Amino acid sequence: MKYCVTCLTPTLVGDGQKLAPIDYMVWKDHINVLDQRRIFRLLAKGSRLDSYLTQLKKSEKLDFASWGGFAQNFAGRRIPFEHASSIPLWERAYAQDLFIPTFATNASGPYLPGTALKGALRSGSVFDRWTEKTILDLAERVEERVPRYFANKAEDSVLGGSGSSRMRRVAVADSSAVAYSGMKVYLLRTATLIARGAEKFELGWKSQRGSVEARRVDESTPLFAEMAAPGMAFEGIWQERSAADRGKLFQASNRYAEGQIARHREYAQRTGMKTLAATLDQLEARLNEIRNSDCACVLSIGWGGGLLGKSAYLKTDDDSYRKILRQMPLYQRAIQTGMPFPKTRRVIFEANQPASLPGWVLLEVR
């Protein structure tokens, strides 16, 4: 059998690689990724290699006036910006903010790792089986510090151990490679909540310097990422023991997606991001079309999905849940503030307007 994954919002499943500002140049509304090996071979024939290597070593960005011809003639590939309005923001950004995460790639091109799908399906399956009592039992075991792999036994109790896990009943291979033509460089910013009185909040934006929470979006730190555009499809091999197992897995994942979308919609309404709310309505409409299907489900995968894209428990206002997180250094401060949790979202901008959340896809088995 085969699966097909169709991107519903811009999606990035990477392999940890990033393009450094000295690995590319911006020319004609595109990120032009330099073929450095080819450039080295060319410059080795003359006297310019030393100056080029010196600039690579010392510079934060390549000097376009000196080396811009390489962007035109020696680009290994060209990735268009989602919208031309992103380019002035890129030009004004600090070099340390211009490292661009890229899509997972093999020798044939970009591909979707099967582990990204398997992990999302696993989270959905756990979500469907955990209860408030599960979290209460975990909270009662918390002492001064949460140990590593704290919830493993709770997961095994609903999925089965490593030798008998429900997830062993399906196997998802990496997808076939696709063309780069479906990739774009998207602008993202991190939205946050700013307290304005009791239970009153307004939209803010995260900045890496100066004010941590800025009211004006232009004061926040822009992020750039290579992502698969909506409509792009990945296909691969799907193996299963029975259609019944797949049906239970997909329906659990759809219920998980429904809970995630509901939480994101609350956030969009609280912050007044109307375009984002409309995108979430579209996701929910797509979910409703296949809610009871044994062959399709909606998933949140990859980079940028935040805590709600990875957590198998979505009631983040639950006292037991918060008791656990208070013991984790990463979340301790956020929980102690009493603010809604999580209070941030990584938001994709389209035409320089907050429009969607990353990583939402439709998985179909055929």
Side-chain angles (χ1 to χ4, degrees):
M1 302 178 70
K2 288 188 176 183
Y3 69 81
C4 178
V5 171
T6 305
C7 297
L8 303 178
T9 66
T11 299
L12 167 58
V13 180
D15 53 8
Q17 300 298 313
K18 294 182 179 181
L19 291 175
I22 59 172
D23 290 330
Y24 66 87
M25 290 185 180
V26 173
W27 186 67
K28 287 192 173 180
D29 299 348
H30 284 63
I31 293 288
N32 291 259
V33 183
L34 301 178
D35 186 342
Q36 298 285 22
R37 289 179 179 271
R38 189 179 171 196
I39 292 172
F40 291 158
R41 287 196 299 267
L42 172 69
L43 296 182
K45 299 176 182 179
S47 60
R48 302 183 70 193
L49 180 58
D50 287 343
S51 61
Y52 183 68
L53 292 175
T54 299
Q55 186 164 39
L56 288 180
K57 182 178 180 180
K58 295 183 178 180
S59 299
E60 295 181 334
K61 300 179 184 178
L62 285 176
D63 178 16
F64 195 91
S66 300
W67 307 103
F70 290 162
Q72 305 170 42
N73 301 312
F74 296 93
R77 59 190 178 97
R78 295 176 170 85
I79 320 168
F81 281 97
E82 177 274 330
H83 194 266
S85 60
S86 298
I87 298 174
L89 299 174
W90 180 91
E91 292 173 342
R92 294 196 299 267
Y94 291 90
Q96 59 263 38
D97 299 326
L98 297 179
F99 286 77
I100 300 177
T102 55
F103 213 92
T105 305
N106 59 26
S108 300
Y111 73 98
L112 182 64
T115 52
L117 299 175
K118 195 75 176 285
L121 291 168
R122 179 185 177 89
S123 296
S125 188
V126 173
F127 163 83
D128 206 46
R129 291 172 172 80
W130 272 3
T131 64
E132 292 181 4
K133 186 177 184 306
T134 305
I135 304 303
L136 177 61
D137 291 343
L138 287 171
E140 289 176 349
R141 290 166 41 200
V142 172
E143 297 180 357
E144 293 184 359
R145 185 170 176 236
V146 177
R148 294 183 67 185
Y149 312 117
F150 175 64
N152 275 15
K153 289 184 178 179
E155 288 190 23
D156 291 346
S157 69
V158 296
L159 294 182
S162 59
S164 58
S165 173
R166 296 173 183 269
M167 299 308 298
R168 292 174 64 91
R169 300 174 186 177
V170 299
V172 187
D174 294 345
S175 79
S176 301
V178 298
Y180 279 109
S181 57
M183 301 290 174
K184 294 181 180 179
V185 174
Y186 284 85
L187 166 68
L188 301 95
R189 298 181 189 271
T190 302
T192 188
L193 295 175
I194 299 177
R196 291 291 180 263
E199 295 299 317
K200 293 183 179 180
F201 307 95
E202 66 179 43
L203 175 62
W205 298 94
K206 284 283 187 179
S207 172
Q208 300 301 321
R209 53 196 56 82
S211 175
V212 175
E213 296 175 348
R215 292 189 187 183
R216 295 179 54 192
V217 65
D218 291 342
E219 296 173 354
S220 65
T221 301
L223 306 171
F224 298 92
E226 178 190 36
M227 311 182 84
M232 191 169 181
F234 298 84
E235 294 186 347
I237 302 299
W238 174 279
Q239 295 179 327
E240 62 187 30
R241 292 187 184 179
S242 71
D245 289 334
R246 184 222 311 146
K248 293 177 182 178
L249 187 62
F250 278 23
Q251 289 176 28
S253 295
N254 282 333
R255 287 189 285 270
Y256 182 39
E258 181 181 25
Q260 290 173 297
I261 292 171
R263 292 300 308 276
H264 289 315
R265 182 183 289 106
E266 290 174 5
Y267 190 88
Q269 292 173 346
R270 191 191 295 265
T271 55
M273 288 189 281
K274 295 181 180 179
T275 304
L276 176 58
T279 302
L280 292 168
D281 289 342
Q282 294 171 10
L283 286 176
E284 186 175 45
R286 195 64 179 270
L287 176 62
N288 288 334
E289 293 174 2
I290 52 94
R291 182 183 301 276
N292 298 317
S293 171
D294 293 340
C295 300
C297 65
V298 172
L299 300 173
S300 173
I301 65 172
W303 177 85
L307 179 74
L308 295 182
K310 306 295 185 293
S311 175
Y313 192 76
L314 300 178
K315 296 180 180 178
T316 58
D317 55 350
D318 185 90
D319 289 339
S320 298
Y321 181 83
R322 285 176 170 258
K323 179 182 178 182
I324 297 170
L325 294 191
R326 283 192 195 99
Q327 306 306 317
M328 296 183 174
L330 182 62
Y331 301 117
Q332 191 176 68
R333 184 177 176 184
I335 294 298
Q336 289 173 346
T337 64
M339 297 277 286
F341 181 81
K343 70 173 186 176
T344 62
R345 297 292 191 279
R346 196 163 279 174
V347 180
I348 297 171
F349 279 58
E350 298 180 17
N352 206 25
Q353 296 296 320
S356 62
L357 300 176
W360 284 93
V361 301
L362 174 67
L363 168 62
E364 299 173 281
V365 172
R366 301 166 179 172

